[in-house]
PDB file of all heavy atoms in Angstrom:
ATOM      1  N   THR J  21      11.058   8.412  24.380  1.00  0.00           N
ATOM      2  CA  THR J  21      11.154   7.842  25.727  1.00  0.00           C
ATOM      3  C   THR J  21      12.334   8.439  26.495  1.00  0.00           C
ATOM      4  O   THR J  21      12.198   8.843  27.657  1.00  0.00           O
ATOM      5  CB  THR J  21      11.301   6.312  25.636  1.00  0.00           C
ATOM      6  OG1 THR J  21      10.132   5.772  25.006  1.00  0.00           O
ATOM      7  CG2 THR J  21      11.470   5.695  27.005  1.00  0.00           C
ATOM      8  N   GLU J  22      13.483   8.508  25.851  1.00  0.00           N
ATOM      9  CA  GLU J  22      14.682   9.019  26.517  1.00  0.00           C
ATOM     10  C   GLU J  22      14.574  10.505  26.856  1.00  0.00           C
ATOM     11  O   GLU J  22      15.127  10.971  27.856  1.00  0.00           O
ATOM     12  CB  GLU J  22      15.909   8.770  25.631  1.00  0.00           C
ATOM     13  CG  GLU J  22      16.260   7.292  25.501  1.00  0.00           C
ATOM     14  CD  GLU J  22      17.241   7.027  24.365  1.00  0.00           C
ATOM     15  OE1 GLU J  22      17.740   8.024  23.774  1.00  0.00           O
ATOM     16  OE2 GLU J  22      17.491   5.849  24.055  1.00  0.00           O
ATOM     17  N   ASN J  23      13.856  11.260  26.033  1.00  0.00           N
ATOM     18  CA  ASN J  23      13.747  12.708  26.239  1.00  0.00           C
ATOM     19  C   ASN J  23      12.529  13.123  27.050  1.00  0.00           C
ATOM     20  O   ASN J  23      12.363  14.308  27.354  1.00  0.00           O
ATOM     21  CB  ASN J  23      13.699  13.421  24.882  1.00  0.00           C
ATOM     22  CG  ASN J  23      15.054  13.481  24.201  1.00  0.00           C
ATOM     23  OD1 ASN J  23      15.863  14.352  24.491  1.00  0.00           O
ATOM     24  ND2 ASN J  23      15.291  12.540  23.300  1.00  0.00           N
ATOM     25  N   ALA J  24      11.676  12.179  27.406  1.00  0.00           N
ATOM     26  CA  ALA J  24      10.375  12.501  27.993  1.00  0.00           C
ATOM     27  C   ALA J  24      10.469  13.402  29.222  1.00  0.00           C
ATOM     28  O   ALA J  24       9.674  14.333  29.400  1.00  0.00           O
ATOM     29  CB  ALA J  24       9.626  11.214  28.339  1.00  0.00           C
ATOM     30  N   ARG J  25      11.445  13.156  30.099  1.00  0.00           N
ATOM     31  CA  ARG J  25      11.556  13.940  31.345  1.00  0.00           C
ATOM     32  C   ARG J  25      11.965  15.385  31.080  1.00  0.00           C
ATOM     33  O   ARG J  25      11.808  16.242  31.961  1.00  0.00           O
ATOM     34  CB  ARG J  25      12.565  13.289  32.289  1.00  0.00           C
ATOM     35  CG  ARG J  25      11.983  12.124  33.087  1.00  0.00           C
ATOM     36  CD  ARG J  25      12.809  11.903  34.354  1.00  0.00           C
ATOM     37  NE  ARG J  25      12.350  10.785  35.136  1.00  0.00           N
ATOM     38  CZ  ARG J  25      11.366  10.831  36.033  1.00  0.00           C
ATOM     39  NH1 ARG J  25      10.716  11.974  36.219  1.00  0.00           N
ATOM     40  NH2 ARG J  25      11.035   9.762  36.724  1.00  0.00           N
ATOM     41  N   ASN J  26      12.481  15.668  29.907  1.00  0.00           N
ATOM     42  CA  ASN J  26      12.911  17.036  29.590  1.00  0.00           C
ATOM     43  C   ASN J  26      11.755  17.921  29.122  1.00  0.00           C
ATOM     44  O   ASN J  26      11.937  19.120  28.912  1.00  0.00           O
ATOM     45  CB  ASN J  26      13.983  17.002  28.493  1.00  0.00           C
ATOM     46  CG  ASN J  26      15.199  16.198  28.898  1.00  0.00           C
ATOM     47  OD1 ASN J  26      15.586  16.184  30.066  1.00  0.00           O
ATOM     48  ND2 ASN J  26      15.801  15.513  27.936  1.00  0.00           N
ATOM     49  N   TRP J  27      10.587  17.343  28.936  1.00  0.00           N
ATOM     50  CA  TRP J  27       9.451  18.070  28.385  1.00  0.00           C
ATOM     51  C   TRP J  27       8.359  18.250  29.433  1.00  0.00           C
ATOM     52  O   TRP J  27       8.173  17.403  30.315  1.00  0.00           O
ATOM     53  CB  TRP J  27       8.867  17.322  27.185  1.00  0.00           C
ATOM     54  CG  TRP J  27       9.862  17.043  26.099  1.00  0.00           C
ATOM     55  CD1 TRP J  27      10.976  17.767  25.781  1.00  0.00           C
ATOM     56  CD2 TRP J  27       9.835  15.942  25.173  1.00  0.00           C
ATOM     57  NE1 TRP J  27      11.641  17.208  24.722  1.00  0.00           N
ATOM     58  CE2 TRP J  27      10.963  16.083  24.320  1.00  0.00           C
ATOM     59  CE3 TRP J  27       8.974  14.880  24.971  1.00  0.00           C
ATOM     60  CZ2 TRP J  27      11.239  15.179  23.300  1.00  0.00           C
ATOM     61  CZ3 TRP J  27       9.235  13.981  23.956  1.00  0.00           C
ATOM     62  CH2 TRP J  27      10.362  14.129  23.127  1.00  0.00           C
ATOM     63  N   ASP J  28       7.635  19.355  29.310  1.00  0.00           N
ATOM     64  CA  ASP J  28       6.504  19.628  30.198  1.00  0.00           C
ATOM     65  C   ASP J  28       5.228  19.505  29.361  1.00  0.00           C
ATOM     66  O   ASP J  28       4.674  20.490  28.886  1.00  0.00           O
ATOM     67  CB  ASP J  28       6.629  21.036  30.789  1.00  0.00           C
ATOM     68  CG  ASP J  28       5.575  21.316  31.853  1.00  0.00           C
ATOM     69  OD1 ASP J  28       4.840  20.370  32.219  1.00  0.00           O
ATOM     70  OD2 ASP J  28       5.486  22.474  32.308  1.00  0.00           O
ATOM     71  N   ILE J  29       4.775  18.265  29.196  1.00  0.00           N
ATOM     72  CA  ILE J  29       3.669  17.977  28.277  1.00  0.00           C
ATOM     73  C   ILE J  29       2.320  18.221  28.960  1.00  0.00           C
ATOM     74  O   ILE J  29       2.058  17.713  30.049  1.00  0.00           O
ATOM     75  CB  ILE J  29       3.743  16.519  27.783  1.00  0.00           C
ATOM     76  CG1 ILE J  29       5.086  16.259  27.086  1.00  0.00           C
ATOM     77  CG2 ILE J  29       2.566  16.202  26.855  1.00  0.00           C
ATOM     78  CD1 ILE J  29       5.315  17.077  25.837  1.00  0.00           C
ATOM     79  N   GLY J  30       1.464  18.977  28.277  1.00  0.00           N
ATOM     80  CA  GLY J  30       0.104  19.209  28.756  1.00  0.00           C
ATOM     81  C   GLY J  30      -0.943  18.549  27.881  1.00  0.00           C
ATOM     82  O   GLY J  30      -2.033  18.211  28.342  1.00  0.00           O
ATOM     83  N   PHE J  31      -0.592  18.387  26.578  1.00  0.00           N
ATOM     84  CA  PHE J  31      -1.499  17.789  25.607  1.00  0.00           C
ATOM     85  C   PHE J  31      -0.782  16.645  24.892  1.00  0.00           C
ATOM     86  O   PHE J  31       0.397  16.777  24.552  1.00  0.00           O
ATOM     87  CB  PHE J  31      -1.907  18.801  24.527  1.00  0.00           C
ATOM     88  CG  PHE J  31      -2.667  20.002  25.015  1.00  0.00           C
ATOM     89  CD1 PHE J  31      -2.026  21.013  25.721  1.00  0.00           C
ATOM     90  CD2 PHE J  31      -4.017  20.148  24.756  1.00  0.00           C
ATOM     91  CE1 PHE J  31      -2.703  22.141  26.149  1.00  0.00           C
ATOM     92  CE2 PHE J  31      -4.711  21.269  25.181  1.00  0.00           C
ATOM     93  CZ  PHE J  31      -4.055  22.270  25.883  1.00  0.00           C
ATOM     94  N   VAL J  32      -1.497  15.561  24.638  1.00  0.00           N
ATOM     95  CA  VAL J  32      -0.981  14.473  23.809  1.00  0.00           C
ATOM     96  C   VAL J  32      -1.978  14.244  22.689  1.00  0.00           C
ATOM     97  O   VAL J  32      -3.198  14.194  22.920  1.00  0.00           O
ATOM     98  CB  VAL J  32      -0.778  13.181  24.626  1.00  0.00           C
ATOM     99  CG1 VAL J  32      -0.401  12.030  23.712  1.00  0.00           C
ATOM    100  CG2 VAL J  32       0.299  13.369  25.671  1.00  0.00           C
ATOM    101  N   VAL J  33      -1.461  14.100  21.455  1.00  0.00           N
ATOM    102  CA  VAL J  33      -2.320  13.945  20.273  1.00  0.00           C
ATOM    103  C   VAL J  33      -1.867  12.717  19.490  1.00  0.00           C
ATOM    104  O   VAL J  33      -0.678  12.595  19.168  1.00  0.00           O
ATOM    105  CB  VAL J  33      -2.236  15.191  19.360  1.00  0.00           C
ATOM    106  CG1 VAL J  33      -3.158  15.033  18.156  1.00  0.00           C
ATOM    107  CG2 VAL J  33      -2.557  16.463  20.138  1.00  0.00           C
ATOM    108  N   GLY J  34      -2.799  11.818  19.176  1.00  0.00           N
ATOM    109  CA  GLY J  34      -2.429  10.667  18.370  1.00  0.00           C
ATOM    110  C   GLY J  34      -3.455   9.561  18.394  1.00  0.00           C
ATOM    111  O   GLY J  34      -4.499   9.648  19.051  1.00  0.00           O
ATOM    112  N   VAL J  35      -3.162   8.472  17.667  1.00  0.00           N
ATOM    113  CA  VAL J  35      -4.010   7.275  17.629  1.00  0.00           C
ATOM    114  C   VAL J  35      -3.834   6.522  18.947  1.00  0.00           C
ATOM    115  O   VAL J  35      -2.697   6.324  19.405  1.00  0.00           O
ATOM    116  CB  VAL J  35      -3.624   6.389  16.428  1.00  0.00           C
ATOM    117  CG1 VAL J  35      -4.364   5.059  16.461  1.00  0.00           C
ATOM    118  CG2 VAL J  35      -3.905   7.128  15.121  1.00  0.00           C
ATOM    119  N   PRO J  36      -4.934   6.095  19.606  1.00  0.00           N
ATOM    120  CA  PRO J  36      -4.842   5.494  20.949  1.00  0.00           C
ATOM    121  C   PRO J  36      -3.817   4.376  21.096  1.00  0.00           C
ATOM    122  O   PRO J  36      -3.061   4.353  22.071  1.00  0.00           O
ATOM    123  CB  PRO J  36      -6.268   4.975  21.184  1.00  0.00           C
ATOM    124  CG  PRO J  36      -7.133   5.893  20.401  1.00  0.00           C
ATOM    125  CD  PRO J  36      -6.335   6.237  19.166  1.00  0.00           C
ATOM    126  N   ALA J  37      -3.765   3.446  20.158  1.00  0.00           N
ATOM    127  CA  ALA J  37      -2.855   2.302  20.305  1.00  0.00           C
ATOM    128  C   ALA J  37      -1.409   2.746  20.418  1.00  0.00           C
ATOM    129  O   ALA J  37      -0.652   2.265  21.274  1.00  0.00           O
ATOM    130  CB  ALA J  37      -3.015   1.351  19.116  1.00  0.00           C
ATOM    131  N   TRP J  38      -0.994   3.709  19.563  1.00  0.00           N
ATOM    132  CA  TRP J  38       0.409   4.127  19.548  1.00  0.00           C
ATOM    133  C   TRP J  38       0.739   5.016  20.749  1.00  0.00           C
ATOM    134  O   TRP J  38       1.842   4.961  21.284  1.00  0.00           O
ATOM    135  CB  TRP J  38       0.729   4.836  18.240  1.00  0.00           C
ATOM    136  CG  TRP J  38       0.376   4.014  17.039  1.00  0.00           C
ATOM    137  CD1 TRP J  38      -0.483   4.341  16.034  1.00  0.00           C
ATOM    138  CD2 TRP J  38       0.858   2.696  16.721  1.00  0.00           C
ATOM    139  NE1 TRP J  38      -0.567   3.327  15.114  1.00  0.00           N
ATOM    140  CE2 TRP J  38       0.255   2.307  15.503  1.00  0.00           C
ATOM    141  CE3 TRP J  38       1.745   1.815  17.347  1.00  0.00           C
ATOM    142  CZ2 TRP J  38       0.500   1.075  14.909  1.00  0.00           C
ATOM    143  CZ3 TRP J  38       1.999   0.583  16.748  1.00  0.00           C
ATOM    144  CH2 TRP J  38       1.379   0.230  15.539  1.00  0.00           C
ATOM    145  N   ILE J  39      -0.226   5.818  21.191  1.00  0.00           N
ATOM    146  CA  ILE J  39      -0.016   6.626  22.395  1.00  0.00           C
ATOM    147  C   ILE J  39       0.146   5.723  23.604  1.00  0.00           C
ATOM    148  O   ILE J  39       1.011   5.948  24.468  1.00  0.00           O
ATOM    149  CB  ILE J  39      -1.190   7.610  22.610  1.00  0.00           C
ATOM    150  CG1 ILE J  39      -1.234   8.651  21.489  1.00  0.00           C
ATOM    151  CG2 ILE J  39      -1.086   8.283  23.976  1.00  0.00           C
ATOM    152  CD1 ILE J  39      -0.084   9.636  21.480  1.00  0.00           C
ATOM    153  N   GLN J  40      -0.649   4.667  23.673  1.00  0.00           N
ATOM    154  CA  GLN J  40      -0.559   3.737  24.801  1.00  0.00           C
ATOM    155  C   GLN J  40       0.795   3.026  24.809  1.00  0.00           C
ATOM    156  O   GLN J  40       1.431   2.894  25.871  1.00  0.00           O
ATOM    157  CB  GLN J  40      -1.692   2.720  24.728  1.00  0.00           C
ATOM    158  CG  GLN J  40      -1.737   1.794  25.943  1.00  0.00           C
ATOM    159  CD  GLN J  40      -3.030   1.001  26.021  1.00  0.00           C
ATOM    160  OE1 GLN J  40      -3.999   1.318  25.341  1.00  0.00           O
ATOM    161  NE2 GLN J  40      -3.050  -0.025  26.854  1.00  0.00           N
ATOM    162  N   ILE J  41       1.241   2.581  23.652  1.00  0.00           N
ATOM    163  CA  ILE J  41       2.552   1.920  23.569  1.00  0.00           C
ATOM    164  C   ILE J  41       3.656   2.885  24.000  1.00  0.00           C
ATOM    165  O   ILE J  41       4.581   2.515  24.728  1.00  0.00           O
ATOM    166  CB  ILE J  41       2.790   1.409  22.133  1.00  0.00           C
ATOM    167  CG1 ILE J  41       1.881   0.219  21.850  1.00  0.00           C
ATOM    168  CG2 ILE J  41       4.254   1.033  21.919  1.00  0.00           C
ATOM    169  CD1 ILE J  41       1.870  -0.225  20.402  1.00  0.00           C
ATOM    170  N   MET J  42       3.583   4.138  23.556  1.00  0.00           N
ATOM    171  CA  MET J  42       4.577   5.145  23.929  1.00  0.00           C
ATOM    172  C   MET J  42       4.606   5.345  25.442  1.00  0.00           C
ATOM    173  O   MET J  42       5.678   5.363  26.069  1.00  0.00           O
ATOM    174  CB  MET J  42       4.259   6.469  23.237  1.00  0.00           C
ATOM    175  CG  MET J  42       5.190   7.615  23.633  1.00  0.00           C
ATOM    176  SD  MET J  42       4.500   9.244  23.216  1.00  0.00           S
ATOM    177  CE  MET J  42       3.192   9.373  24.441  1.00  0.00           C
ATOM    178  N   MET J  43       3.428   5.492  26.056  1.00  0.00           N
ATOM    179  CA  MET J  43       3.367   5.719  27.499  1.00  0.00           C
ATOM    180  C   MET J  43       3.938   4.529  28.270  1.00  0.00           C
ATOM    181  O   MET J  43       4.647   4.709  29.266  1.00  0.00           O
ATOM    182  CB  MET J  43       1.923   5.980  27.924  1.00  0.00           C
ATOM    183  CG  MET J  43       1.392   7.343  27.535  1.00  0.00           C
ATOM    184  SD  MET J  43      -0.285   7.576  28.181  1.00  0.00           S
ATOM    185  CE  MET J  43      -0.553   9.307  27.768  1.00  0.00           C
ATOM    186  N   GLU J  44       3.645   3.329  27.818  1.00  0.00           N
ATOM    187  CA  GLU J  44       4.164   2.141  28.496  1.00  0.00           C
ATOM    188  C   GLU J  44       5.691   2.119  28.457  1.00  0.00           C
ATOM    189  O   GLU J  44       6.343   1.774  29.455  1.00  0.00           O
ATOM    190  CB  GLU J  44       3.590   0.882  27.845  1.00  0.00           C
ATOM    191  CG  GLU J  44       2.119   0.661  28.166  1.00  0.00           C
ATOM    192  CD  GLU J  44       1.492  -0.465  27.361  1.00  0.00           C
ATOM    193  OE1 GLU J  44       2.092  -0.878  26.338  1.00  0.00           O
ATOM    194  OE2 GLU J  44       0.412  -0.925  27.745  1.00  0.00           O
ATOM    195  N   ARG J  45       6.257   2.492  27.332  1.00  0.00           N
ATOM    196  CA  ARG J  45       7.724   2.541  27.218  1.00  0.00           C
ATOM    197  C   ARG J  45       8.321   3.582  28.167  1.00  0.00           C
ATOM    198  O   ARG J  45       9.345   3.340  28.802  1.00  0.00           O
ATOM    199  CB  ARG J  45       8.135   2.859  25.782  1.00  0.00           C
ATOM    200  CG  ARG J  45       7.961   1.718  24.822  1.00  0.00           C
ATOM    201  CD  ARG J  45       8.873   1.912  23.618  1.00  0.00           C
ATOM    202  NE  ARG J  45       8.645   0.897  22.600  1.00  0.00           N
ATOM    203  CZ  ARG J  45       9.409   0.732  21.541  1.00  0.00           C
ATOM    204  NH1 ARG J  45      10.446   1.532  21.334  1.00  0.00           N
ATOM    205  NH2 ARG J  45       9.155  -0.215  20.653  1.00  0.00           N
ATOM    206  N   ILE J  46       7.691   4.740  28.210  1.00  0.00           N
ATOM    207  CA  ILE J  46       8.197   5.815  29.073  1.00  0.00           C
ATOM    208  C   ILE J  46       8.154   5.390  30.533  1.00  0.00           C
ATOM    209  O   ILE J  46       9.116   5.587  31.293  1.00  0.00           O
ATOM    210  CB  ILE J  46       7.381   7.111  28.843  1.00  0.00           C
ATOM    211  CG1 ILE J  46       7.665   7.666  27.445  1.00  0.00           C
ATOM    212  CG2 ILE J  46       7.716   8.156  29.910  1.00  0.00           C
ATOM    213  CD1 ILE J  46       6.745   8.801  27.047  1.00  0.00           C
ATOM    214  N   ILE J  47       7.047   4.788  30.946  1.00  0.00           N
ATOM    215  CA  ILE J  47       6.887   4.346  32.344  1.00  0.00           C
ATOM    216  C   ILE J  47       7.923   3.295  32.696  1.00  0.00           C
ATOM    217  O   ILE J  47       8.556   3.340  33.761  1.00  0.00           O
ATOM    218  CB  ILE J  47       5.455   3.810  32.555  1.00  0.00           C
ATOM    219  CG1 ILE J  47       4.448   4.968  32.509  1.00  0.00           C
ATOM    220  CG2 ILE J  47       5.333   3.060  33.884  1.00  0.00           C
ATOM    221  CD1 ILE J  47       3.001   4.532  32.434  1.00  0.00           C
ATOM    222  N   GLU J  48       8.145   2.343  31.786  1.00  0.00           N
ATOM    223  CA  GLU J  48       9.125   1.284  32.053  1.00  0.00           C
ATOM    224  C   GLU J  48      10.548   1.835  32.081  1.00  0.00           C
ATOM    225  O   GLU J  48      11.335   1.511  32.973  1.00  0.00           O
ATOM    226  CB  GLU J  48       9.002   0.201  30.976  1.00  0.00           C
ATOM    227  CG  GLU J  48       9.958  -0.967  31.185  1.00  0.00           C
ATOM    228  CD  GLU J  48       9.839  -2.021  30.106  1.00  0.00           C
ATOM    229  OE1 GLU J  48       9.063  -1.821  29.147  1.00  0.00           O
ATOM    230  OE2 GLU J  48      10.535  -3.057  30.207  1.00  0.00           O
ATOM    231  N   TYR J  49      10.879   2.699  31.122  1.00  0.00           N
ATOM    232  CA  TYR J  49      12.244   3.234  31.015  1.00  0.00           C
ATOM    233  C   TYR J  49      12.617   4.085  32.227  1.00  0.00           C
ATOM    234  O   TYR J  49      13.732   3.989  32.755  1.00  0.00           O
ATOM    235  CB  TYR J  49      12.354   4.059  29.742  1.00  0.00           C
ATOM    236  CG  TYR J  49      13.723   4.683  29.514  1.00  0.00           C
ATOM    237  CD1 TYR J  49      14.742   3.951  28.901  1.00  0.00           C
ATOM    238  CD2 TYR J  49      13.989   5.990  29.901  1.00  0.00           C
ATOM    239  CE1 TYR J  49      15.989   4.512  28.682  1.00  0.00           C
ATOM    240  CE2 TYR J  49      15.232   6.557  29.692  1.00  0.00           C
ATOM    241  CZ  TYR J  49      16.226   5.823  29.085  1.00  0.00           C
ATOM    242  OH  TYR J  49      17.473   6.389  28.883  1.00  0.00           O
TER     243      TYR J  49
END
């Protein structure tokens, strides 16, 4: 979450539940 703005992500890979939780944290932070 803290490093997210430093990356230029084009692809995300993972289990839907955990990817969704990660995205919610990034958006809130």
Side-chain angles (χ1 to χ4, degrees):
T21 298
E22 292 166 7
N23 285 277
R25 279 203 182 275
N26 301 326
W27 304 332
D28 187 7
I29 302 297
F31 297 73
V32 173
V33 181
V35 173
W38 306 121
I39 294 292
Q40 185 167 345
I41 289 171
M42 176 198 72
M43 286 184 173
E44 288 171 344
R45 286 203 186 189
I46 292 171
I47 290 169
E48 181 181 4
Y49 180 85

